[in-house]
Amino acid sequence: MTFASLGLIEPLLRALETLGYQTPTPVQAQAIPAVLAGRDLMAAAQTGTGKTAGFALPLLQLLTMEGPKVAANSARALILCPTRELAEQVHTSVAEYAQHLPLTTYAVYGGVSINPQMMKLRKGVDILVATPGRLIDLFRQNALKLNQLQTLVLDEADRMLDLGFSEELANIYRMLPKKRQTLLFSATFSDDIRLLAGQMLNDPLSIEVSPRNVAANTVKQWVVPVDKKRKPELFVHLMRKGRWKQVLVFAKTRNGVDALVDKLQGLGINADGIHGDKPQATRQRALDRFKASEVQILVATDVAARGLDIEDLPLVVNFDLPIVAEDYIHRIGRTGRAGNTGEAISLVCADEVNMLSAIEMLTRQTLTRKMEPDFEPEHRVPDTDASGQVVKKPKKPKKPKTSGGGGKRNLGKWVDSGDAAPTEPSIKPVRKVPVFNTGPRKKK
Ligand code: AMP
């Protein structure tokens, strides 16, 4: 199959040729014809599948072929993203695909001054990429009208809900014209996402390019059990032993990121960190330097790392397991992209056994454990498997017990306790999706 056979116009084909895209990925092969035909879409596509081009290419084509010129302070298509980094990245891709088209594109997000964004919107833009909060601010300040909107894309919708954007989404929903095309992309499909899709989409076509909630199989994954206090030492040991060149490392908290970066820099290792406390410009600089291989180790929290697309990233290390099991899929999706193979190593201590179990259940696999000589943990990590079973180490009974314990546990999402509580404030608890009471959408 070729991009031309999907019915894409010549200026798009030329851009794809420049980018070296030869064959459509499965999500592109399914999404492109459906979007061109005007359908709403509900796509279960994890990161690295080529989903951005899957929605952006047909969207650009429709905007080129149909509809009036963009009016002042208006947008014809809106792509909503959960984070600034993803918004920037999606915008870069859209601009690349649109390089031979007479369309304007722009990205708006919080954490930077709103005035230049308001100025830029004066003439209107064909495609606006936005994070929800800043979009609402611009709308309320009359810098943006949405009555000309033809298409709405919700990118990484699961993540938007995880980050607590459900109220913002409900507000945005009320600002939108009823007649529009809506495309929803999500790595995972929780009940809340299905509810949101039921409210936002009109007779959507469902696309699922990999089994639901199963991590990319191009990524070789394993776990190294270790005592919590020895994780930094193990990381440095594995790094030297494996001669790691470019590694993206995930830590659970902002403090965890800073502590690891300090430790590595203290050892003369070229490391930098990104998390929500750092200004956007600093985060972008660290990311750019990592991409340019000027920084060897980039340590990040889940929020800050969202949407990072680094070509051929060979290795992701989970210094801590994520607080939400779905984040494991997002994290390892940073490697093994677009058909390349990658590795994901998780350093797991006994405290994290419930998280490990939930990840194995979600990804429907038992992760291979590799004990590292001299780092065998004193606090054993209990056995786990994809059924969600945590096999507690049998204890020698000191006195007869009156109540039972252990056994089979049903672990889906968990709430971590004690020091594992998230300190990344942008991770808000998942809120319920508000019920939109604007009535059913009119048929197109
Ligand atoms: P995404 O899942 O949209 O984040 O895309 C993951 C990566 O795959 C990006 O670096 C894209 O540039 C790349 N990509 C997307 N589609 C193709 C394709 N058809 N051929 C080669 N690379 C692609």
Side-chain angles (χ1 to χ4, degrees):
M1 186 188 292
T2 60
F3 283 105
S5 70
L6 295 176
L8 291 179
I9 52 178
E10 193 274 335
L12 287 172
L13 297 177
R14 233 185 321 146
L16 294 177
E17 205 178 309
T18 316
L19 292 168
Y21 292 15
Q22 284 168 354
T23 320
T25 65
V27 69
Q28 291 161 2
Q30 293 179 65
I32 292 170
V35 178
L36 287 178
R39 290 290 301 267
D40 278 9
L41 213 64
M42 172 158 148
Q46 64 196 69
T47 196
T49 54
K51 65 185 168 65
T52 315
F55 63 74
L57 293 169
L59 175 62
L60 289 165
Q61 179 151 335
L62 291 179
L63 293 171
T64 307
M65 313 289 280
E66 298 171 3
K69 223 172 148 281
V70 70
N73 292 105
S74 299
R76 296 170 65 206
L78 172 64
I79 303 172
L80 280 179
C81 298
T83 65
R84 305 157 191 179
E85 281 81 6
L86 184 64
E88 265 301 332
Q89 186 174 299
V90 166
H91 178 249
T92 304
S93 298
V94 170
E96 279 173 349
Y97 305 145
Q99 59 186 282
H100 303 299
L101 296 173
L103 297 173
T104 49
T105 65
Y106 190 49
V108 294
Y109 39 78
V112 293
S113 168
I114 198 167
N115 291 335
Q117 299 179 348
M118 293 171 83
M119 298 273 286
K120 178 82 187 183
L121 287 173
R122 276 192 193 158
K123 283 189 180 161
V125 288
D126 290 295
I127 301 191
L128 183 66
V129 187
T131 52
R134 180 54 59 98
L135 181 90
I136 292 172
D137 286 349
L138 288 162
F139 184 85
R140 292 201 173 134
Q141 298 194 39
N142 294 323
L144 179 68
K145 290 177 278 189
L146 292 174
N147 45 352
Q148 219 192 355
L149 197 85
Q150 290 173 223
T151 309
L152 169 72
V153 181
L154 297 162
D155 194 15
E156 304 206 348
D158 51 346
R159 191 63 182 175
M160 286 200 263
L161 293 190
D162 285 349
L163 292 177
F165 282 134
S166 54
E167 266 170 35
E168 283 83 351
L169 290 181
N171 282 333
I172 293 168
Y173 176 80
R174 284 190 280 270
M175 303 171 195
L176 299 171
K178 297 278 170 279
K179 185 172 175 296
R180 59 164 200 277
Q181 186 176 23
T182 308
L183 317 174
L184 183 147
F185 286 77
S186 192
T188 52
F189 270 81
S190 63
D191 292 342
D192 280 348
I193 288 288
R194 289 178 193 280
L195 186 62
L196 179 78
Q199 289 157 340
M200 290 258 201
L201 304 179
N202 176 24
D203 185 24
L205 183 79
S206 288
I207 291 182
E208 202 160 345
V209 290
S210 55
R212 195 180 156 187
N213 294 347
V214 173
N217 56 15
T218 48
V219 182
K220 205 172 134 204
Q221 306 159 57
W222 74 91
V223 162
V224 186
V226 63
D227 282 333
K228 191 174 182 171
K229 61 179 187 307
R230 295 198 69 197
K231 280 190 180 187
E233 201 188 331
L234 173 64
F235 179 84
V236 174
H237 165 82
L238 291 174
M239 191 190 113
R240 289 189 171 142
K241 186 173 146 188
R243 297 172 195 276
W244 293 346
K245 297 246 166 358
Q246 191 194 28
V247 195
L248 180 61
V249 185
F250 286 94
K252 197 159 38 190
T253 63
R254 295 168 180 199
N255 288 343
V257 169
D258 289 340
L260 184 60
V261 170
D262 285 351
K263 162 104 187 161
L264 295 174
Q265 287 178 345
L267 291 168
I269 295 165
N270 189 353
D272 205 346
I274 52 173
H275 58 60
D277 269 349
K278 300 202 176 198
Q280 179 61 18
T282 314
R283 283 156 67 168
Q284 195 62 46
R285 194 166 53 243
L287 182 57
D288 291 343
R289 292 186 64 222
F290 182 62
K291 283 187 178 184
S293 301
E294 289 163 23
V295 164
Q296 186 187 359
I297 313 277
L298 185 68
V299 190
T301 54
D302 286 292
V303 170
R306 194 70 189 161
L308 298 191
D309 179 25
I310 300 144
E311 258 176 61
D312 295 332
L313 187 63
L315 175 64
V316 164
V317 173
N318 293 312
F319 188 80
D320 304 307
L321 286 182
I323 294 159
V324 177
E326 277 91 348
D327 279 339
Y328 179 81
I329 296 173
H330 294 305
R331 287 179 176 192
I332 72 161
R334 309 289 122 202
T335 181
R337 309 197 108 190
N340 293 318
T341 51
E343 286 180 316
I345 305 175
S346 302
L347 314 188
V348 178
C349 65
D351 286 1
E352 293 173 306
V353 66
N354 286 353
M355 304 179 189
L356 178 61
S357 173
I359 288 164
E360 290 181 336
M361 241 179 45
L362 182 71
T363 60
R364 301 189 198 133
Q365 61 185 337
T366 305
L367 292 170
T368 307
R369 296 185 183 202
K370 288 189 189 174
M371 219 44 107
E372 188 60 28
D374 298 331
F375 285 91
E376 294 90 349
E378 279 173 27
H379 301 282
R380 188 179 153 273
V381 181
D383 292 338
T384 50
D385 62 35
S387 71
Q389 186 152 16
V390 178
V391 184
K392 298 276 185 202
K393 188 180 169 189
K395 283 182 188 160
K396 284 183 200 144
K398 286 181 188 150
K399 52 183 178 184
K401 281 191 174 168
T402 48
S403 62
K408 199 158 189 156
R409 298 170 61 169
N410 185 16
L411 297 159
K413 283 184 183 180
W414 63 85
V415 177
D416 205 3
S417 62
D419 64 349
T423 59
E424 176 83 75
S426 19
I427 303 180
K428 295 176 199 156
V430 180
R431 274 187 244 150
K432 280 266 168 280
V433 180
V435 176
F436 307 126
N437 54 7
T438 46
R441 284 178 49 202
K442 281 184 206 135
K443 282 255 174 221
K444 276 178 250 173

